[in-house]
Amino acid sequence: MNEVILSLITFLPLVGVLLLLFIPSGNHGLLRGFTLAVTILTFLASLPLVTGFVTNADYQFVLNMPWIQAGPFRMNYHVGIDGISLWLVMLTTFIMPIAVLSTWTAVDEKVKGYMACLLLLEVGMIGAFISIDLFLFYIFWEVMLIPMYFIIGIWGGKNRIYAAVKFFIYTMVGSLLMLVALIVLYFKGLNLGITDFSLTNFFGMNLDPVTQTWMFLAFALAFAIKVPMFPLHTWLPDAHTEAPTAGSVILAAVLLKMGTYGYIRFAMPLFPNAVEKFTPLICTLSVIGIIYASLVAMVQEDVKKLVAYSSVAHLGFVMLGLFSLNQIGLQGGMLQMLNHGISTGALFLIVGFIYERRHTRLITDFGGLSKQMPVFATIFMIVTFSSIGLPGTNGFVGEFLVLLGAFESNIRWYAIIASSGVILSAVYMLWMFQRVMFGKLDNPKNQKLPDLNAREIAIMVPLVVMIFFMGLYPTPFTRTMAPALDKIIQQTRLTKPVIAAPPQMMPAMPQGEMPAGHPGMPGGQPGMPAGQPAMPAGHP
Amino acid sequence: METLFFSLVAAIAIISSILVITNKNPINSALSLIMTFFCLATLYVMLEAPFMAAIQIIVYAGAIMVLIVFVIMLLNIRSESGRRTNHALFLGVMTGVLLLIQTWYLLWKSSLTGMKGSVDSAMIIKVGHTELIGKALFTEFLLPFEITSVLLLAAIVGAVILSKKKL
Amino acid sequence: MVSLNGYLILSAILFSIGMIGVLTRRNAIVIFMCVELMLNAVNLTFIAFSKFLGNLDGQVFVFFVMTVAAAEAAVGLALMIAFYKNRESIDVEDMNLLKW
Amino acid sequence: MLDNVWLIPLFPLIGFLINGLFGKKIKNEAVIGTIGTGAIFLSFIVSCGILIELVRMPAEQRVFEKVVFPWIQAGTFKADMAFLVDPLSAVMIMVVTGVGTLIHLYSIGYMHGEEGFYRFFSYLNLFCMSMLLLVLGANMLVMFIGWEGVGLCSYLLIGYYFEKKSAGDAAKKAFVMNRVGDFGFLLGLFLLYWWLGSNHNIWTVNFVEIKAASHLLPYGGIVTIATLCFFLGATGKSAQIPLFTWLPDAMEGPTPVSALIHAATMVTAGVYMIARMSFVFIKSPETMLVVAVVGAATAIFAATIGTAQNDIKRVLAYSTVSQLGFMFLAMGVGAFGAGIFHLMTHAFFKACLFLGSGSVIHAMHHALHKGHLHDDAQDMRNMGGLRKAMPITFITFFVSTIAIAGIPGFSGFFSKDEILWQAFANPYHGNINIYLWGVGAVAACFTAFYMFRLVFMTFFGECRINSKVKEYLHESPLVITIPLMVLGLLAVVGGYIGMPKLMGLLPNYFEHWLDPVFELANEYGKEYAKVAHHTHALEWGLMGGSVVIALIGITIAFTMYMANRTLPAKFVATFPTLHRFVFNKWYIDELYDFLFVNPCKAFGNLLWRGFDVVIVDGVVNGTAKLVMACSAGLKGLQSGYVHNYAMGMALGVVAIMAFYVFR
Amino acid sequence: METIVIPAINMAVIAPEVILSLFAMALLLINVFVKGESKAYLGYLGIAGIVVALFTLVSGWGFPTEGFSGTVIQDNFGIFFKVIFLISAAMSILISDKYLVREGCNQGEIYPLILFATVGMMLMASGTDLMTIFLGLEVLSVSLYILAGFNRDSIKSNEAGLKYFLLGAFSTGFLLYGMALTYGATGTTKVAKIAAHIAQTGMGSSNLMLLAGMLLMATGFAFKIAAAPFHMWTPDVYEGAPTPITAFMSVGPKAAGFAAFLRVFLIALPALKAEWTWLVWVLAVLTMTVGNITALYQQNIKRMLAYSSIAHAGYVLVGFTAGNAVGTAGIMFYMLSYAFMNIGAFAIIILVGKKGEENNNVSDYAGFGYKHPMLGIAMCIFLFSLAGIPPAAGFIGKFYLFSGAIQAGYIWLAIIGVLNSAASVYYYLRVMIFMYFKEPNEDFAWVKLTPAFIICLIIAVAGVMIPGVLPGVILELAQKAVLM
């Protein structure tokens, strides 16, 4: 059973698509209901992953079958999850039903195709998260593009074609270069006697630094575009603004995670030397991204664009966390991924709600909605504050750990600058919130707005619950991730940190966490001296 | 003596071929082309290939050129109205000259490296050129020979369907 | 006794002239004739080689080239006639419907 | 009992949930009010129980930590949801729950008939919960929850009348400024955590553990940086220079909010935080000095502004800022106990004052409303002579005013005088302390002045309110006056538990009570303290001096606003610029707008319109355009002419040959 | 005078060719008696012939046999390519009938001519003597000249035929000159013997005559496979020729060209590998880039696909550059999948087209995806496959080609390749933009699907998707068919 669960949840939606073809296109209710059922079923089917997951660093629920064997190539259908992918898969399956519900009424033409696209998208996303075989990963990675392209292009806003094409080609360029790097990697490995594309073969190949540099760049570019990192982000606002609500939600909640996931899973552990070389660059870009995106978000007139830019900032935090390369930072990064998935997803839903009602997203068209739609106001506020990172909500835990981790590692100064992003995020979010929800309800069009209906509340409730749950009790997540993250750290760190005896006052924590590097530790970590000037009288 | 004759023929061939491409009137071009063919036939004879010379006259000058002339007449094409633009002309000539220089250069530099065969003039005189060719055609190159039949068939069919009056 | 190079260079000259013709003339038939000229130049090369190598493959090849030339002539002229029917011209500058 | 400390924040949480989720359905104000008040009252009971239990314990054991559940665990980092009970937090919870209960009660009356009644109470409960988390938090992170939580609540409550743009702006301003502070707080936390961990492998944010490890911290250096960061956080929360401008604007909120959040509790969080981490702060003389100076400066600065305001609540707001300044002064000079003491007394009388002003505004508003007038119900120029109309309010208000002015026998005197004395006598800041004292004294003088100005303008003289609504003015209902009376009483007697031992009437219970908390700090302090001996005479003298100063302030107020009403106008006429500056709060808001807000927006616009769209996207689309241009060009080559194609081929051949033959 | 001894004739070697020729002639005869619509049956008969040929062909898999005194060979390499030719021929026949009727040039001769062309291609693929290859190429060309100009009444068709003819003859000249020089340099026209002679005399690039021969032959083949700068005829001819013929031309002859190209260069001229590798490298880059970039601007979908086919020739040349097992296998796999996807696309173009080559603009596809969901999906599959996006065969093919290049160390070539295919995505997407993102401007005539088309499309889709998801088998076969 365990072996097939992953394949099951991956291809269940595909089956759904096939069945969908037999439903008459006219019968929208049935189409929607069916799709919802499929997604929910997938979610339920994915629950055993959590319950059955054993907290250790290994891949679990592994299924490894030969797939293509020709010439020098061996590709296997090799899937499995560890602490990292587990939660991303869960996030995906969790978001999908919500996404389906979100455009229940908004999309009322070509419903069949729409639902089919959503389901195909789910296939791609889950597949990418669970595949261990690099080739398989690439396949799924590309497959994701197609349905998203159609979702944006067919059901999107007025500038949708530009956005869709931009999205597609932008991503294509990066991923194709990654493909080249992939093949190079494989042939390099072939000389070292690897037998197939399984990721696990490629660790510790100790490629020469130059090769690593090039290949890291190729991988990093592909993922940086998806993240998106600072100079490569411009596709995001367009895609987000044009996409229908569900599209934006999935894009923000899951697709962007592909990039960061790619970093933590592939780019970093595969090319340690390159990572060491490029950490400053990437951190710089992330920090620029944080500040830059925040400032730009501040002056947006379009709510959706604002949220889009805010997610650029949030993912900047994630990247910072990942490249702090210590347990705290990585966990922070991972949590931040999930949080961003939930909070920003929720924000896009909210924007969707008011867009459905008013068919405008300009901040200036709103104002004083709190009076008219209190429930909406409450939820909106909760989500806003979770996105700002208020303690007690999920946003805080992630952001805090990221900054702490970064601060602990030798990218301290970036952390300090990035922390100011915390202020900026409050500025732009609250300003937007105030202009939309506060003030006089003077626009006559707004005076008739109905408050959230049952469906919309049903959509938001799970998200709100998650916001608080993850904010108040993130331990289940962190605990399961820890071992896998440690493995990543071990693979990525060039000089392995001295293993610290856990401080006395801390009760036993999972075995895996022990080696989590404490950069500052005496003789601990190469970057430490670089960090010293930061602390004038710091050291005894 | 022979060299002199060769140079004479070669000169004629070259001149006539130049006429082919300079003549405004297609008919004249055709005639000068036939002239060239005759020269080539002569050279074939000098190269101890009488049979090739014969079919050169028969097939080329006889069949193909007649066909061409016939078509020219049929379509009664006047001489070209106005030449190509000068720079196109210049470019063409330049290209040709360049190619010539290159080929000339590399032919000059290179010698005959192919493996020598058994056929020499004595044998040709003894056996007879036609027979030798025939033998080659029907033994070693039987398949290509057969292919030509398909080729010609296809060509005929094509010619017919393209130009027959009523479908 | 004329050297091989004599023949080869002669054929090279003819070949180039033929090519020039193709590049500079506008009348389809003339262009075709120039192509024939090029083929003949090649034939000369073949036969010269065959003579000096002392094997007949080259001459056999020439034989086939002639056949091909004949076939091409038939088809080509047919095409020209067909074109002429529709266009009242076989000037290549008039073959400009298909471009870009 | 101690084990049930978690109940304290729980009750308000429950209250919040009930009112927040079902308040709209309940509608009945009585029920909602009872739930809200009841919740906080229950925590008050529990707090009392805890206090009593603590009192019973021997002094040195009075530290208790309660872990509720593990919150964050990541690598070495571990933060539990844990509460710390010790004398300090005991005092705080008493203040918070006690004053909180009264203000809840008051609100029932004050907010009567507001449509967002339930909303108000749920927010209020939420605030109490956050505040209690803040004071009870056993580690910096739990404290930080509360720290931000109160920020959130103040945001919500200031923005309570969200339809007023000013309210929205004020709310945002408050939150953002707090955020700036929080930024500092976080950095300080990072530094401390990282330094202790990396150098001594003690990875902790828990106060007790840090205290245990504090001997490892160096004097100055890293600690200075860290504590300065923390202090930035404190300034944000407690409205000190430079981050004080949000507090006056915060008066947009309902008056009970001003009383609870912006006078009694939240704004004192910064003080509390410093007290909580006294053993770290004391290790950095520089920081201590900065704290003291900033405190003194704020005290005088805000006081000056307070003298020129006409809005009754704004005057009180500036007075609050000024009083907080006193508290920081106390912290800065190492008089932690005194600071906390002033915190408590201030909570009493300032809450009383705010509620009193609320009662006045309530009455005024009521009256004006009856008369269908639209005069400003908060402008003191419309008031006057209210003492006849609303005696209870007047008495309580007057008592509190005396208290804050520092007239002997009232609580304010004991605390403030203690601070001034410590400022003078503190052993840390060498010879600056005389200036600290001087500034403090002047500030005290101003305090007395503007407070009495307020009283005179409001309650004395003839009634300046539009005559036809005079008869509508009357005392507020009991539910409002009861809290006033209680607080008024506390304002009088509250001080006696912290009576300077000099007077010898009573032992200074309060100091002793807090000693176990601060002794370590004083221990460290000795490291660089210069012991100076001050005679009792001197202390007596200064005490007298401060009294005199207060009296001077009062007399000036009297002469200007009772005896000779024309003086203020004259004054304004003589020093127009000065007055304009003072009246406009020294143009600080404008300055900040000019320095930070507008540049940010402008820069953001530049980045977006200029950089993002033009350059970044321009590169992308430019590439596309370029390729398309090439496409057009190549398309042009495809001329459709056979000889061109042939030429292409021929050139190709020639080129290839050339490359190979002549290379 | 001695008698001529005819060497043993091993018919098995050329059995498929013979069968096809016989069927072609039979069709020519029958054609006289069938009239009008029923001419379609000629096509089906032709397909029957192809199927028979196919079976005889595959039966020879695994036993390379020479024949006709070394002028022809039947080896896996040849067989693999021949299968491609046969498939493309069959599919083109399937889609031609409807078109011919619509365009009013419904003459039965088209089927035998397609078969003749196929014979020519097969001879190119299996010829081991320059003469065989040359003649096969001529059979192919002559038939194609006719087919291109097949629609006599359409000026475009005439023009296409004539242009193709003139340029084809021109390029033949170069090819021949190259063969002549090679002959001179080695003294033989047999591929194997050439290699042997080169090997034993140890002549290499130093021998300018041989070098020039190689280069000129390369240009000749480059013309056939439409590699830049010898590609310029392609768009015009593809646009002008009858659509089914375009489909056929874009696949079969290209593959045949590659077959001959590969055989001559890999078997006869391995000694010059260092030389021709660079030549091919340059050709590949030029071809990909020119093809893709020019395609971006095209409005006429036939013309667009013409440029795209140029680009694909470029990709295949990448595999050729590699010149290793992976690359060659990649070429075969790619040509096979290309046959399916391209002919599939053209089939849909025929369906959408109207009389007189109308309705061939990209903009005419507005809303097509909604009018005909199934056809729309099929078109998407073909286009995505052409764009090289998984899980379509096109992707696997590209993957193999580029892998070959990378394995041989031409990483930059691979990078240029992938960047090209990224650019190419744009114009394939453009079609889909019109199909799905634009509302139908005017509702066009309901496309009538004949069974032939349905079969053709099903085959095409299957041929794109199945190798896309499970390419293992075919790749293995391709590996077995590699020369060397």
Side-chain angles (χ1 to χ4, degrees), chain B residues 135-142 144, chain C residues 57, chain E residues 68-69 71 190 193:
Chain B
K135 202 178 273 179
L137 277 180
F138 287 104
T139 58
E140 194 179 358
F141 299 105
L142 178 58
Chain C
D57 299 9
Chain E
F68 294 91
S69 50
T71 50
K190 297 221 172 8
K193 286 197 188 149

Side-chain angles (χ1 to χ4, degrees), chain A residues 307-334:
Chain A
V307 179
Y309 276 107
S310 84
S311 55
V312 174
H314 281 106
L315 284 142
F317 277 107
V318 177
M319 293 306 293
L320 204 59
L322 298 189
F323 276 80
S324 62
L325 268 192
N326 55 37
Q327 184 61 230
I328 302 179
L330 282 179
Q331 292 212 358
M334 284 301 298

Side-chain angles (χ1 to χ4, degrees), chain C residues 55 72 86 98-100, chain E residues 138 152 158 163 183 187 303:
Chain C
N55 73 11
E72 282 191 341
N86 292 328
L98 306 164
K99 57 186 167 203
W100 299 332
Chain E
E138 280 308 321
R152 308 190 316 171
N158 302 135
K163 275 183 178 172
Y183 167 69
R303 204 169 173 83

